Amino acid sequence: MTQPRQFVIEADGGSRGNPGPAGYGAVVIDPVTGETLAEAAEYIGVATNNVAEYKGLIAGLKAAKALVPDASADGALQVRVRMDSKLVVEQMSGRWKIKHPDMKPLAAEAARILPASAVTYEWIPREKNKHADRLANEAMDAGKRGKQWEPSASTASLDTPRPSVASALPPVSGPPGDAAAGAAKARAALAARPAAASPAAPQVGWGAAPDLGAPATFVLLRHGETALTPEKRFSGSGGGDPELSAAGRHQAECIARSLADRGTVEEIVSSPLRRCRETAAAVAARLGLEVRIEEGLRETDFGAWEGLTFAEVRERYGADLDAWLASAKVAPTGGGESFAEVARRVSATRDRLTTRYAGRTVLLVTHVTPIKTLVRLALGAPPEAMFRMELSAASVSAVAYYADGNASVRLLNDTSHLR
């Protein structure tokens, strides 16, 4: 009985912006000699990392299939795919569900290229996927110059041996010359592909990546000033419920005019605290929208520190303040909320709202801590990043949430409407 041809495919994809200018790379390798049998890379315009990774997988599987004339027949080919994308590996292995509607057709296309019994998947660290990663970056670089990727001097030729990966698969069988003939066929197939369309311009502002559809975009508005704001006093949800000052009402009118001119906000959601409800009402009056109240958007409960300045808290509760600054799990004196507790509350609220408002632009009128938390979580930054952001009264920030779970921070602490 004829033994199947066996290959290793290493594939990768990347996006400079996620979403942003994206490309993929894939390489087909002889598992015994380490020889590069085929390469593929392409700039794909604006896309996310996940889309680029799936397209790299598809290109690698097609290149492997092109090397073996009867590859679709059961037992003719055995391929081990190695990728540093845990998502793609787990989804294609059937261990994770594919929830995103734009991922499903890509996974289905990959599954149709070869029989399911012919392909296995293995996760590898990024440092072991350097060849495919380099090809993806070369494709993105070419796209940036408005060109199509072509093998360069830095790209290993089809005849250049690589370090052996024989431990990955059993020895390859087949008559001498099959690999060379198949490689020539793969080269011809890749060369015959139509030229890539002109690179799409990266999306900017509050737009959407075309491959994932419109995101849920949260325009994050900190409320206008109260009497406590200029004095920088702790003002959370555990003390009084101050109203906007005259300056705060003016700020609310300024942002209302700006958002009306921009014309992108479709819904308004507000913290239940008075200063946010008043700010939201000013915007709603301009835009002709209703205001929905969301309890999860309230400010932190600062316990015994409510109404005090930082200096006053330092004087009265110095040890407690030091502990609070050192750990997100420590609550303010007197039974307030820790930043960890706020993060759990805000995360749950974010998840509810992104589901409810998928594809829509929503104004969230809220406070310093919830806004900083949403930005921090979107960036994957540690809790201490909270102390490294400035958020002025009536400032605007924005985060877009895509259906594949990725987030993109679009704006932070914009106060241009107040000038």
Side-chain angles (χ1 to χ4, degrees):
M1 181 171 122
T2 304
Q3 294 295 315
R5 294 292 311 278
Q6 304 201 27
F7 299 138
V8 169
I9 294 173
E10 293 175 358
D12 197 13
S15 169
R16 294 170 180 171
N18 199 31
Y24 66 74
V27 56
V28 182
I29 306 162
D30 184 312
V32 176
T33 66
E35 180 185 1
T36 296
L37 303 177
E39 291 178 330
E42 186 178 11
Y43 173 73
I44 58 174
V46 175
T48 62
N49 285 331
N50 294 154
V51 167
E53 288 161 347
Y54 260 111
K55 287 186 176 289
L57 167 63
I58 291 167
L61 291 170
K62 287 181 176 179
K65 183 178 180 180
L67 293 168
V68 179
D70 58 347
S72 296
D74 285 335
L77 179 62
Q78 190 69 41
V79 170
R80 175 168 292 180
V81 175
R82 294 152 52 92
M83 300 181 67
D84 59 62
S85 170
K86 188 76 169 175
L87 176 80
V88 175
V89 167
E90 294 299 315
Q91 288 183 343
M92 291 303 298
S93 298
R95 293 186 288 269
W96 289 3
K97 289 184 178 180
I98 305 173
K99 298 180 180 179
H100 191 276
D102 291 328
M103 298 295 108
K104 290 180 180 180
L106 293 172
E109 181 181 357
R112 288 193 298 267
I113 296 170
L114 293 171
S117 59
V119 187
T120 57
Y121 291 87
E122 174 188 352
W123 178 84
I124 56 174
R126 180 169 292 277
E127 58 268 21
K128 293 188 178 180
N129 202 24
K130 291 181 178 179
H131 192 155
D133 178 71
R134 172 170 53 77
L135 293 176
N137 277 287
E138 287 180 356
M140 285 185 275
D141 290 341
K144 186 176 180 180
R145 298 190 300 269
K147 298 181 179 181
Q148 187 177 3
W149 175 85
E150 295 179 358
S152 65
S154 64
T155 303
S157 72
L158 297 181
D159 301 319
T160 302
R162 287 167 41 96
S164 175
V165 288
S167 59
L169 291 170
V172 175
S173 61
D178 277 2
K185 190 175 294 184
R187 278 196 296 267
L190 291 172
R193 282 188 316 193
S198 298
Q203 298 280 337
V204 296
W206 296 343
D211 57 325
L212 289 179
T217 301
F218 292 171
V219 181
L220 307 172
L221 172 60
R222 185 189 172 193
H223 60 81
E225 287 187 8
T226 72
L228 301 179
T229 307
E231 299 178 9
K232 296 187 178 297
R233 295 184 179 274
F234 282 92
S235 181
S237 57
D241 191 7
E243 65 182 356
L244 292 179
S245 64
R249 290 192 291 274
H250 174 70
Q251 291 168 340
E253 288 299 329
C254 288
I255 185 60
R257 285 195 299 270
S258 176
L259 292 174
D261 290 342
R262 191 182 292 257
T264 53
V265 170
E266 301 170 273
E267 307 278 352
I268 302 176
V269 182
S270 173
S271 157
L273 299 183
R274 184 174 179 178
R275 53 198 183 271
C276 286
R277 288 188 285 108
E278 290 178 345
T279 304
V283 178
R286 285 271 183 174
L287 273 58
L289 297 172
E290 298 293 326
V291 177
R292 181 191 294 266
I293 301 301
E294 172 56 60
E295 177 66 25
L297 294 178
R298 61 181 171 80
E299 181 59 289
T300 306
D301 180 347
F302 291 112
W305 303 352
E306 294 279 358
L308 302 180
T309 65
F310 192 89
E312 289 169 341
V313 173
R314 168 69 70 193
E315 181 181 352
R316 301 180 195 184
Y317 308 104
D320 290 352
L321 181 63
D322 287 340
W324 180 73
L325 293 171
S327 173
K329 297 180 180 179
V330 174
T333 308
E337 284 181 293
S338 69
F339 280 156
E341 291 171 316
V342 175
R344 287 192 291 272
R345 165 164 60 83
V346 170
S347 295
T349 302
R350 174 203 61 197
D351 293 345
R352 288 195 305 273
L353 295 180
T354 53
T355 298
R356 181 184 301 162
Y357 297 114
R360 300 178 71 77
T361 298
V362 185
L363 179 69
L364 304 189
V365 186
T366 180
H367 309 264
V368 169
T369 309
I371 294 174
K372 287 185 175 183
T373 298
L374 288 168
V375 171
R376 176 183 76 78
L377 294 174
L379 294 174
E384 55 266 30
M386 300 275 286
F387 300 114
R388 296 182 174 89
M389 299 182 212
E390 177 68 26
L391 283 177
S392 303
S395 64
V396 174
S397 303
V399 181
Y401 297 90
Y402 290 87
D404 64 350
N406 284 310
S408 175
V409 176
R410 302 295 182 84
L411 193 66
L412 182 66
N413 196 41
D414 177 23
T415 57
S416 59
H417 48 277
L418 301 179
R419 296 196 288 270

